[in-house]
Amino acid sequence: QSSVSLYGMADVWVGRVKTDITGVGSASETVLESGGFNTSRLGFKGSEDLGGGLKANFNLEGALAMDNGTAGGLSFNRQSWVGLSGGFGEIQLGKPWTPYDDTRSMANDTFNANFASSWTTWLGYEDNPNNTIRYNSPNFGGFSGAFAYSLGEDRASSPNNKASNLVSFSLNYANGPIVAGFAHQSQKVEGLNGIDSTGILTGLAATGKTTYNLLNGSYDFGVVKLVGGVNQAKVQPDGFADVKANEFNIGVDVPLGAGFDIGVGVARSKLESGGTDLSKTTGFSIGAKYALSKRTFTYAAFNRTKAEIIGTGAEVKNTLFGVGIQHNF
Amino acid sequence: QSSVSLYGMADVWVGRVKTDITGVGSASETVLESGGFNTSRLGFKGSEDLGGGLKANFNLEGALAMDNGTAGGLSFNRQSWVGLSGGFGEIQLGKPWTPYDDTRSMANDTFNANFASSWTTWLGYEDNPNNTIRYNSPNFGGFSGAFAYSLGEDRASSPNNKASNLVSFSLNYANGPIVAGFAHQSQKVEGLNGIDSTGILTGLAATGKTTYNLLNGSYDFGVVKLVGGVNQAKVQPDGFADVKANEFNIGVDVPLGAGFDIGVGVARSKLESGGTDLSKTTGFSIGAKYALSKRTFTYAAFNRTKAEIIGTGAEVKNTLFGVGIQHNF
Amino acid sequence: QSSVSLYGMADVWVGRVKTDITGVGSASETVLESGGFNTSRLGFKGSEDLGGGLKANFNLEGALAMDNGTAGGLSFNRQSWVGLSGGFGEIQLGKPWTPYDDTRSMANDTFNANFASSWTTWLGYEDNPNNTIRYNSPNFGGFSGAFAYSLGEDRASSPNNKASNLVSFSLNYANGPIVAGFAHQSQKVEGLNGIDSTGILTGLAATGKTTYNLLNGSYDFGVVKLVGGVNQAKVQPDGFADVKANEFNIGVDVPLGAGFDIGVGVARSKLESGGTDLSKTTGFSIGAKYALSKRTFTYAAFNRTKAEIIGTGAEVKNTLFGVGIQHNF
């Protein structure tokens, strides 16, 4: 009588990664890695009809490292939540994705693949915080919104006796060929177990705040889909100067027919502090997919990302090339 | 041809916990936690009919932390065993629950929820030791018994060249409105990997013995179910004085109809050594459930537990309030 | 629409293990352990028909410790791969078994059980390396072959700027009562994350190479199955003298009818360096199986293994006796 359903994704690629650092030299390696296109995963989910349109839902999803069998043990570190849904929308309690992350992934360059230029250039953020309450609105003629609040649960280690928290919300529109979204996320670190697993503040200060504002969208012309977005991130470490990131990405996904698709993307992130430019990171990515079925495709990927420290000439170049296969189950 | 069945429970709650320590102050925190009512879990189990009434059975069950996706990796740390069952009863080999734990949970206050007063006041014990052989008798007109023996496998680290062990057995009676049970458990720690994961001895001595004797039961009057139990625990650390715990709990579970149930419990544990009272812990718990279906309910919980060190005036007060949802799959 | 299938094996035994060291004494322990016959496991696998004879396949399989519920967390450390199969054979990407390991297990003494004499005497090897590309040929009238290449991905830590690697291939023949195979494996350790998880080189040198050449087979006479094999291993640690291992095993598996089977094996491994004998390890194993069904059997096992350091009189004797049950799901 078990109602749970298993699902997952197995994505493995073989390729070559290269890092160039000015004045230091370059290093390259041939690798077989998991999750070239999307992160491999194993999940369990289920839904129970409670009558009157109300449902009880849950989801447990863990990332898999297909190349080494998940060395650290299977952990439902991607999603783990339980909730209720009905005419009012949906409530999720646990560790869901943030609305900001959903909007970010909804219209991203190069098929939103893991090797997309925006993922290798833009500032990191917390995408699935622990201890989260999330609300998803119903769909109103294409419009939908979501709100999430995450509890830091670290008052004891906080200098000012407050707990860390994360707030994330989004307003999205999807109708026919148009997808557009606005999303905001704010990560406040007050104590030691702070909610900033991206470690953006770690190098600067123990506590502080990071905020993100994203506007993105896509338009599907049929012969080509245009995607793009702009993002502003602001890091405000306590006791240090603010750092601002101005970021954009743009891309085209082209269906060539017979199961072939090509996606290309360019992205940039510029960091400044007090009006002075600090660094500039530029990424270029191109990917090709060939569908073997609805659940299986092979792909080839290339990404080149260059990070420059302004005024010093110092550069770090990362190059990746790989071919892989993704199977969904 | 796989005969395995998946099952589980997702239980998440939001609430506030508070700790008061006399002369030190108080601290509170808003939390979103897993397993407010019962521990969230994911399990796999199966049974194969071997003919002639004999069955091969197995069970793998791991605890889940729904609020963070099981940070430590999925481990079948709740149950993992394989065995045979038939007219003779059932044999389980591996890591099953102890008979003492089953009887303890069979008639406990406040729905036997994790926030029940007895769980926050009574002395801890080892509930699912490793390396265990368990036998469950058939049911004889309401009577049933169970016996378990656990191997410490730590002879090499034991001063007297003996391995640690755990013995647990129970005699239970369940018939119509009456449930009654007697259970005994004895945990003998001889070596470093001793079977006492509760750590009761750790603070006192490396080796020793802890025994538990429990008598409990419930009577269901229909409009109200009365539950209660008395427990005596004796800690005998090698080279230190014995410590005795005298414990009781009492509770009522009240079905209010339309899916509503209320459970209330009071429990106490008094520790004494050589005729001198050492400490007194008193707990009060109240919980309300509202069934959304046979597999899903929401709940509200309150627990207040006070531990006093006799003669010093020192007190630790813990307060918990939360609301949650539990979904079984 | 999930196509994944769950499967596994639960194998638990109770017994006694004893270690004798000359001049030191002996130690014995009563134990309840997992995987007496075969390693307990939980797995997920699936296959998708892509049309035209092509299939997409995946497999995730983790070892289970049934006696303690997998203390370290469930990890798909036995197999985790995704691939394609068709008329050309099969490609697997991820962490599959090596061809050498398959041939080794195909014709091994004492049912190839974990307590078989060859497993307790022969030199260890890497059986399922990370980051592996494996190809399995189709079956040509009983003949089949396989080839695997594993990437060390540790160039950065390698003194000579090369990555570690593992090469393994096999040529097998199976037709009617005859099974025969040749397999080769070469493990080259260049850097810190070297592919030699067996640690054979660790005690001697950080880097080096170990090669294995195996010839084995079995012939099923019906009333008895004869199995045997010879193996040559060569350890070539950088900066130290080579060590050679000459190994053989021989066994008989006897079906006694009514579900009873008995298997007996003898194996030896002799180590020499520069023409001088270093050590000699001899093992004897006997196992009896009794089938309760196609998926469940009970067993009794005995293994005695003696390792002698040549010329010193020093000996280590290990004795194991146990009875167990294995259930496949």
Side-chain angles (χ1 to χ4, degrees):
Chain A
Q1 252 72 323
S2 177
S3 65
V4 58
S5 99
L6 255 89
Y7 67 96
M9 184 191 288
D11 183 320
V12 179
W13 61 282
V14 182
R16 195 139 178 102
V17 291
K18 190 177 170 185
T19 305
D20 266 290
I21 307 179
T22 341
V24 175
S26 79
S28 66
E29 186 97 58
T30 303
V31 294
L32 185 146
E33 300 279 20
S34 186
F37 209 95
N38 300 112
T39 304
S40 299
R41 66 200 68 176
L42 177 69
F44 302 86
K45 65 181 169 185
S47 188
E48 182 196 13
D49 198 330
L50 302 171
L54 196 65
K55 284 182 185 179
N57 311 301
F58 82 96
N59 198 347
L60 294 163
E61 185 178 306
L64 294 176
M66 292 295 294
D67 54 343
N68 60 23
T70 314
L74 180 62
S75 179
F76 297 110
N77 53 356
R78 284 178 51 87
Q79 300 185 59
S80 76
W81 52 262
V82 60
L84 294 172
S85 63
F88 66 90
E90 178 170 25
I91 295 283
Q92 298 172 326
L93 300 176
K95 183 185 175 71
W97 302 106
T98 70
Y100 177 85
D101 180 68
D102 284 354
T103 299
R104 175 93 156 79
S105 301
M106 174 184 81
N108 196 17
D109 71 276
T110 324
F111 311 121
N112 189 39
N114 283 346
F115 56 80
S117 63
S118 66
W119 293 118
T120 57
T121 53
W122 290 17
L123 220 59
Y125 61 96
E126 180 58 51
D127 55 359
N128 62 349
N130 296 343
N131 317 316
T132 299
I133 302 161
R134 177 173 170 158
Y135 167 72
N136 299 323
S137 84
N139 192 310
F140 299 105
F143 284 98
S144 63
F147 179 84
Y149 186 81
S150 306
L151 297 156
E153 302 186 359
D154 56 354
R155 256 184 91 169
S157 68
S158 159
N160 63 6
N161 202 29
K162 284 182 189 169
S164 298
N165 69 67
L166 181 152
V167 174
S168 184
F169 61 83
S170 66
L171 181 64
N172 299 321
Y173 179 74
N175 206 345
I178 304 175
V179 169
F182 168 74
H184 169 86
Q185 186 161 306
S186 162
Q187 303 169 191
K188 204 153 181 203
V189 180
E190 304 278 8
L192 285 178
N193 307 317
I195 223 139
D196 184 16
S197 77
T198 53
I200 288 172
L201 290 168
T202 315
L204 296 165
T207 61
K209 189 176 168 180
T210 309
T211 49
Y212 305 83
N213 286 293
L214 169 71
L215 198 61
N216 69 357
S218 67
Y219 193 94
D220 194 341
F221 292 96
V223 294
V224 60
K225 188 166 90 171
L226 201 64
V227 299
V230 290
N231 191 50
Q232 281 202 319
K234 199 166 159 186
V235 188
Q236 297 170 280
D238 293 342
F240 292 83
D242 293 359
V243 176
K244 266 187 239 176
N246 287 297
E247 309 179 319
F248 76 85
N249 80 327
I250 189 158
V252 286
D253 293 349
V254 188
L256 297 175
F260 270 107
D261 287 271
I262 286 190
V264 183
V266 181
R268 170 164 293 177
S269 173
K270 271 177 84 169
L271 264 57
E272 57 158 42
S273 182
T276 308
D277 285 350
L278 299 177
S279 70
K280 192 169 73 174
T281 306
T282 314
F284 169 75
S285 55
I286 180 163
K289 285 169 69 176
Y290 175 64
L292 295 167
S293 77
K294 288 204 170 173
R295 299 198 283 122
T296 307
F297 63 85
T298 57
Y299 60 90
F302 176 83
N303 179 296
R304 182 81 180 268
T305 300
K306 188 170 77 170
E308 308 164 62
I309 310 299
I310 309 277
T312 66
E315 283 182 8
V316 177
K317 271 182 271 185
N318 286 288
T319 311
L320 170 154
F321 175 72
V323 293
I325 181 167
Q326 178 177 120
H327 173 64
N328 293 270
F329 52 91
Chain B
Q1 250 73 324
S2 176
S3 65
V4 59
S5 101
L6 255 91
Y7 68 94
M9 184 192 287
D11 183 321
V12 180
W13 60 283
V14 183
R16 195 137 179 104
V17 289
K18 190 177 170 186
T19 305
D20 266 292
I21 307 180
T22 342
V24 176
S26 78
S28 64
E29 186 97 58
T30 302
V31 294
L32 185 145
E33 301 279 20
S34 186
F37 209 96
N38 300 111
T39 304
S40 299
R41 66 200 69 174
L42 177 69
F44 302 87
K45 64 181 170 185
S47 188
E48 182 196 12
D49 198 328
L50 301 171
L54 196 66
K55 285 183 184 179
N57 311 300
F58 82 97
N59 198 348
L60 293 162
E61 184 179 308
L64 294 175
M66 293 293 296
D67 54 342
N68 61 22
T70 314
L74 181 61
S75 179
F76 297 109
N77 53 356
R78 285 177 52 86
Q79 299 186 59
S80 76
W81 53 262
V82 59
L84 295 172
S85 62
F88 66 89
E90 179 170 27
I91 295 281
Q92 299 171 326
L93 300 176
K95 184 186 175 71
W97 302 106
T98 69
Y100 177 84
D101 181 67
D102 284 355
T103 299
R104 174 93 156 77
S105 300
M106 174 185 83
N108 196 17
D109 71 276
T110 325
F111 310 122
N112 190 39
N114 283 345
F115 55 80
S117 63
S118 65
W119 293 118
T120 57
T121 53
W122 289 19
L123 220 59
Y125 61 97
E126 180 58 51
D127 54 0
N128 62 350
N130 296 343
N131 317 317
T132 299
I133 303 161
R134 177 173 169 157
Y135 167 71
N136 298 323
S137 84
N139 192 310
F140 299 106
F143 284 97
S144 63
F147 178 85
Y149 185 81
S150 306
L151 297 155
E153 301 185 1
D154 55 356
R155 255 184 92 169
S157 68
S158 159
N160 61 6
N161 202 31
K162 285 184 189 166
S164 297
N165 69 69
L166 181 151
V167 173
S168 184
F169 59 84
S170 66
L171 180 64
N172 299 320
Y173 179 74
N175 205 344
I178 305 176
V179 169
F182 167 74
H184 169 87
Q185 186 161 307
S186 162
Q187 302 170 191
K188 204 155 180 199
V189 180
E190 304 277 8
L192 284 178
N193 307 316
I195 223 140
D196 184 16
S197 78
T198 51
I200 288 172
L201 290 168
T202 316
L204 297 165
T207 60
K209 190 175 170 181
T210 309
T211 49
Y212 304 82
N213 286 294
L214 169 70
L215 196 62
N216 69 356
S218 67
Y219 194 94
D220 195 341
F221 292 96
V223 293
V224 59
K225 189 166 88 170
L226 200 64
V227 299
V230 290
N231 191 49
Q232 281 201 317
K234 198 165 160 186
V235 187
Q236 297 170 280
D238 292 342
F240 291 83
D242 293 358
V243 175
K244 267 189 238 174
N246 286 297
E247 308 179 320
F248 75 86
N249 81 325
I250 190 160
V252 285
D253 293 350
V254 188
L256 296 176
F260 270 108
D261 287 89
I262 285 192
V264 183
V266 180
R268 170 165 293 178
S269 174
K270 271 177 84 169
L271 263 56
E272 56 158 41
S273 183
T276 309
D277 285 349
L278 299 176
S279 70
K280 192 169 73 175
T281 306
T282 313
F284 169 76
S285 56
I286 181 165
K289 288 168 68 178
Y290 176 65
L292 296 166
S293 77
K294 286 205 171 174
R295 300 200 283 122
T296 307
F297 64 85
T298 57
Y299 60 90
F302 176 82
N303 178 296
R304 183 80 180 270
T305 300
K306 188 171 77 170
E308 308 165 62
I309 310 299
I310 309 277
T312 67
E315 283 182 6
V316 176
K317 270 181 271 184
N318 286 287
T319 311
L320 170 156
F321 176 72
V323 292
I325 181 168
Q326 177 178 120
H327 174 63
N328 292 270
F329 53 91
Chain C
Q1 250 75 322
S2 176
S3 67
V4 59
S5 98
L6 255 91
Y7 67 95
M9 183 191 289
D11 183 321
V12 179
W13 60 283
V14 182
R16 193 136 179 105
V17 290
K18 188 176 170 185
T19 305
D20 266 292
I21 307 179
T22 340
V24 176
S26 79
S28 64
E29 186 96 61
T30 301
V31 295
L32 186 146
E33 300 280 20
S34 186
F37 208 97
N38 300 112
T39 304
S40 299
R41 65 200 69 175
L42 178 69
F44 303 86
K45 63 181 169 186
S47 188
E48 183 195 13
D49 197 329
L50 301 170
L54 196 65
K55 285 181 186 180
N57 311 301
F58 82 98
N59 198 347
L60 293 163
E61 184 178 308
L64 294 176
M66 293 293 296
D67 54 342
N68 60 23
T70 314
L74 181 62
S75 178
F76 298 110
N77 54 356
R78 283 177 52 85
Q79 299 186 58
S80 75
W81 54 262
V82 60
L84 294 172
S85 63
F88 65 89
E90 178 170 28
I91 296 281
Q92 299 171 326
L93 300 176
K95 183 185 176 72
W97 302 105
T98 69
Y100 177 83
D101 181 68
D102 285 355
T103 299
R104 174 94 156 78
S105 301
M106 174 184 81
N108 197 16
D109 70 277
T110 324
F111 311 122
N112 190 40
N114 283 345
F115 56 80
S117 62
S118 66
W119 292 119
T120 57
T121 52
W122 290 19
L123 221 59
Y125 61 96
E126 180 58 49
D127 55 0
N128 62 349
N130 296 344
N131 318 315
T132 299
I133 303 161
R134 176 172 170 159
Y135 166 71
N136 298 324
S137 84
N139 191 310
F140 299 106
F143 284 97
S144 62
F147 178 85
Y149 185 82
S150 306
L151 297 155
E153 301 185 1
D154 54 357
R155 257 184 90 169
S157 68
S158 158
N160 63 5
N161 201 29
K162 286 182 187 167
S164 296
N165 69 68
L166 181 152
V167 174
S168 184
F169 60 83
S170 66
L171 180 64
N172 298 321
Y173 179 72
N175 206 346
I178 304 176
V179 168
F182 168 74
H184 170 86
Q185 187 161 304
S186 162
Q187 303 169 192
K188 205 155 181 200
V189 180
E190 304 277 9
L192 284 179
N193 306 317
I195 224 143
D196 184 15
S197 77
T198 53
I200 288 172
L201 290 167
T202 315
L204 297 165
T207 60
K209 190 177 168 180
T210 308
T211 49
Y212 305 82
N213 286 294
L214 169 71
L215 196 63
N216 68 358
S218 66
Y219 192 92
D220 195 341
F221 292 95
V223 293
V224 60
K225 190 165 89 169
L226 201 63
V227 299
V230 290
N231 190 50
Q232 281 202 319
K234 199 168 160 185
V235 188
Q236 297 170 280
D238 292 343
F240 291 83
D242 293 359
V243 176
K244 266 188 239 175
N246 285 297
E247 308 179 321
F248 75 86
N249 80 325
I250 188 160
V252 286
D253 292 350
V254 188
L256 297 176
F260 270 106
D261 287 271
I262 286 190
V264 182
V266 180
R268 170 165 292 176
S269 174
K270 271 176 83 170
L271 262 58
E272 56 159 40
S273 182
T276 309
D277 285 349
L278 299 176
S279 69
K280 191 170 73 175
T281 305
T282 314
F284 169 76
S285 56
I286 180 163
K289 287 170 66 177
Y290 175 65
L292 295 167
S293 77
K294 286 203 173 175
R295 299 198 282 121
T296 306
F297 63 85
T298 57
Y299 61 91
F302 175 83
N303 179 295
R304 182 80 182 267
T305 301
K306 187 170 77 171
E308 308 164 61
I309 309 300
I310 309 277
T312 66
E315 284 182 7
V316 176
K317 272 181 270 185
N318 285 289
T319 311
L320 170 155
F321 176 71
V323 292
I325 181 167
Q326 179 178 119
H327 173 65
N328 292 270
F329 52 91

